[in-house]
Amino acid sequence: MPCTVELEVLTGVESGARFRLEAGGWIVGRGDGCGVQIRESGISRQHAELTVGTDGSVQLTDLGSHNGTLLEGEPVRAPATVRAFPAKLRIGTVDAVLRAAPERPADSATPPAPAVQMAPEVAAAAARIREFYPRMEKEFGRVIIGQRAVLEQLLIALAANGHCLMIGLPGLAKTLMVSTLARLLHLSFKRIQFTPDLMPADIIGSEILEVDETRGRKSFRFVKGPVFTNMLLADEINRTPPKTQAALLEAMQERQVTAANSLYPLPAPFFVLATQNPLEQEGTYPLPEAQLDRFLFNVLVDYPSEAEEEEVVRVTTARREVDLEPVLTGAELLLLQQAVLDLPVSAHVVKYATRLVRATRPKDPRAPEFIRANVACGAGPRAAQHLILAAKARAVIRGRANVSCDDVRHLAAPVMRHRIFTNFAADSEGVTPDILIAKLLQSIPEPGPDEYPAGGRA
């Protein structure tokens, strides 16, 4: 056996993630200190340990996890030796496979990051930011049970200065998640309930006529609407007509509002989180493609696990008061966003993200056959921009100074699922954008060394 192996996650929110494990001990779990971090609620914080020996031996040890560990279908109760590759694992509720890592010749290694480094103050800020995530997760968990993958995506969107569209059934605590996040970040928060009779002025504000009785003068004064906040929850955004939906376009893109030929800048940071019910379609107005494209992420909020649902029912049916401690201020969040922008990214990662997005377009020469057969319109250039921004934000939040293709793969689904429009053939056969993205991640390889000019890799 080689002394370098690869662990690939097959199911769950981290599906498709690959971890290259050199010789040594690797803790597998959802905790922040784990070498193999799988953020799945069915996995313990420190679930198991994989020991890769220099002599080629590979051992798997369960660390007293709640849901157990299986190797080739057998429970691991004592250190178990991996006899042959590929080896099937079940870590808690997640399926994975352990195989020999593909060899990397010296001339085909992943191109290094650019020589430019982050400024010292930005690097120090990135190091501080990493300390915030465990605190954020802990405080968030005092109110919201489970949904850690949703929390991570929301924080990545905030760090990347992007907006989120949340898709989930009623009762899954979408509104509570946003209000809790606003309290933890010490930001102003406002909620707009979108209804068919909502008007643009109800969002951005309107001018009112004021009369100065002492001087006998009349003048107009602009009264700011609820969009003037740090975190705006657009609840059931598809329940209002396109005219009112479009009132958010300028705010989301330019972070400003135009009213009566005057420009009013929005407070920084500014973050729009919109929700939709995926089932109830009567009396709704689908979001225009231009507005969908302005959302960094399309976040799917799914049902909790059985254990999490039992805990939700237990704690919400009794007297309960939670005093949250703010973890991050608005000024510190702006510093985090600056650290994301200043983080360098290699040409290798940019080329991979761009190739992945271009492969979603059925008319592109490199588009796979399953894309040509199932997609009417693929993702635009903003998808590649958002992939890189989100990957950089994920690296900064985790305290890393480098961005990898694994970061891009990890965030490909939330970035692209609302930018790929399937055709009738796909809809009739139940082929969803998520299925197509999963196939793309398997079929689109990273750029090879022959794709870079001699000495020009970055």
Side-chain angles (χ1 to χ4, degrees):
M1 285 188 181
C3 58
T4 302
V5 298
E6 180 182 78
L7 178 70
E8 180 181 1
V9 181
L10 303 178
T11 59
V13 295
E14 302 273 1
S15 177
R18 294 182 175 90
F19 301 89
R20 189 179 179 91
L21 311 181
E22 307 288 345
W26 297 82
I27 301 296
V28 182
R30 60 182 175 88
D32 288 302
C34 297
V36 179
Q37 189 177 46
I38 306 176
R39 293 190 177 276
E40 186 76 35
S41 58
I43 293 181
S44 301
R45 289 187 176 275
Q46 292 191 346
H47 195 101
E49 182 177 14
L50 267 171
T51 304
V52 182
T54 55
D55 59 351
S57 62
V58 180
Q59 283 194 331
L60 177 64
T61 305
D62 185 85
L63 299 178
S65 63
H66 291 297
N67 293 326
T69 307
L70 303 181
L71 172 61
E72 295 294 348
E74 296 295 326
V76 175
R77 296 187 174 89
T81 301
V82 178
R83 302 294 181 185
F85 288 145
K88 296 180 180 179
L89 307 181
R90 185 167 181 83
I91 306 166
T93 57
V94 171
D95 292 325
V97 62
L98 193 66
R99 61 170 70 93
E103 295 185 3
R104 292 180 178 176
D107 61 347
S108 65
T110 300
V116 62
Q117 299 294 326
M118 287 188 292
E121 63 273 13
V122 176
R128 292 199 306 272
I129 292 301
R130 187 179 182 184
E131 301 175 2
F132 289 125
Y133 191 86
R135 293 174 55 199
M136 182 75 70
E137 188 177 36
K138 179 181 178 181
E139 291 293 317
F140 189 82
R142 296 176 60 196
V143 178
I144 304 297
I145 297 167
Q147 305 293 359
R148 291 302 176 269
V150 176
L151 170 64
E152 182 188 36
Q153 291 178 32
L154 291 177
L155 290 179
I156 289 174
L158 278 172
N161 199 18
H163 312 286
C164 283
L165 176 64
M166 294 180 72
I167 308 293
L169 295 171
L172 295 181
K174 299 186 295 296
T175 302
L176 184 59
M177 286 185 210
V178 183
S179 61
T180 301
L181 194 59
R183 292 166 61 190
L184 291 175
L185 295 174
H186 203 64
L187 301 176
S188 60
F189 166 71
K190 292 181 182 178
R191 171 184 176 179
I192 303 176
Q193 187 66 45
F194 279 69
T195 56
D197 60 346
L198 196 72
M199 297 298 291
D202 298 325
I203 299 174
I204 64 175
S206 60
E207 285 195 325
I208 62 172
L209 180 64
E210 284 190 334
V211 179
D212 187 346
E213 296 182 355
T214 59
R215 298 183 179 181
R217 294 180 180 178
K218 297 180 181 180
S219 61
F220 285 96
R221 180 171 64 90
F222 180 71
V223 178
K224 296 180 178 180
V227 74
F228 288 86
T229 185
N230 295 127
M231 188 173 291
L232 178 69
L233 174 61
D235 214 0
E236 294 188 295
I237 190 173
N238 59 333
R239 284 209 162 274
T240 198
K243 177 182 179 180
T244 306
Q245 293 174 3
L248 284 175
L249 284 175
E250 183 184 13
M252 294 172 66
Q253 186 65 31
E254 282 84 21
R255 263 77 176 179
Q256 66 182 23
V257 166
T258 303
N261 295 324
S262 297
L263 293 179
Y264 300 91
L266 294 172
F270 176 70
F271 177 60
V272 173
L273 195 144
T275 67
Q276 278 190 210
N277 181 344
L279 294 183
E280 196 171 6
Q281 298 301 324
E282 292 187 7
T284 61
Y285 304 85
L287 292 181
E289 287 76 6
Q291 188 155 17
L292 282 173
D293 200 38
R294 281 166 170 77
F295 285 102
L296 176 74
F297 283 158
N298 182 345
V299 181
L300 298 184
V301 184
D302 205 353
Y303 292 113
S305 66
E306 183 176 359
E308 289 170 348
E309 190 162 0
E310 290 175 358
E311 183 67 9
V312 168
V313 173
R314 185 185 67 80
V315 301
T316 56
T317 55
R319 185 186 298 273
R320 179 176 179 236
E321 295 182 3
V322 179
D323 292 327
L324 293 178
E325 179 184 350
V327 177
L328 209 64
T329 65
E332 289 170 326
L333 180 56
L334 292 175
L335 186 62
L336 168 60
Q337 292 175 348
Q338 188 61 49
V340 170
L341 293 176
D342 290 343
L343 183 67
V345 59
S346 70
H348 179 79
V349 176
V350 171
K351 187 181 288 290
Y352 176 67
T354 305
R355 177 174 298 177
L356 200 61
V357 170
R358 292 182 64 86
T360 66
R361 305 167 190 168
K363 293 185 179 180
D364 191 275
R366 291 187 177 183
E369 182 57 36
F370 62 85
I371 292 293
R372 302 175 188 272
N374 294 287
V375 175
C377 181
R382 192 178 277 125
Q385 293 174 326
H386 283 179
L387 264 179
I388 293 299
L389 273 175
K392 291 170 69 173
R394 184 172 188 256
V396 170
I397 284 177
R398 292 169 178 265
R400 289 189 277 110
N402 67 293
V403 184
S404 69
C405 289
D406 283 337
D407 292 315
V408 173
R409 283 188 284 265
H410 181 82
L411 299 169
V415 168
M416 295 198 296
R417 63 165 58 104
H418 57 298
R419 294 181 164 98
I420 297 176
F421 302 94
T422 52
N423 56 25
F424 177 78
D427 296 341
S428 62
E429 296 179 7
V431 178
T432 64
D434 280 54
I435 293 175
L436 297 175
I437 293 169
K439 287 186 176 181
L440 276 176
L441 294 176
Q442 295 176 353
S443 60
I444 303 299
E446 296 182 21
D450 56 331
E451 300 183 54
Y452 298 90
R457 293 187 298 181

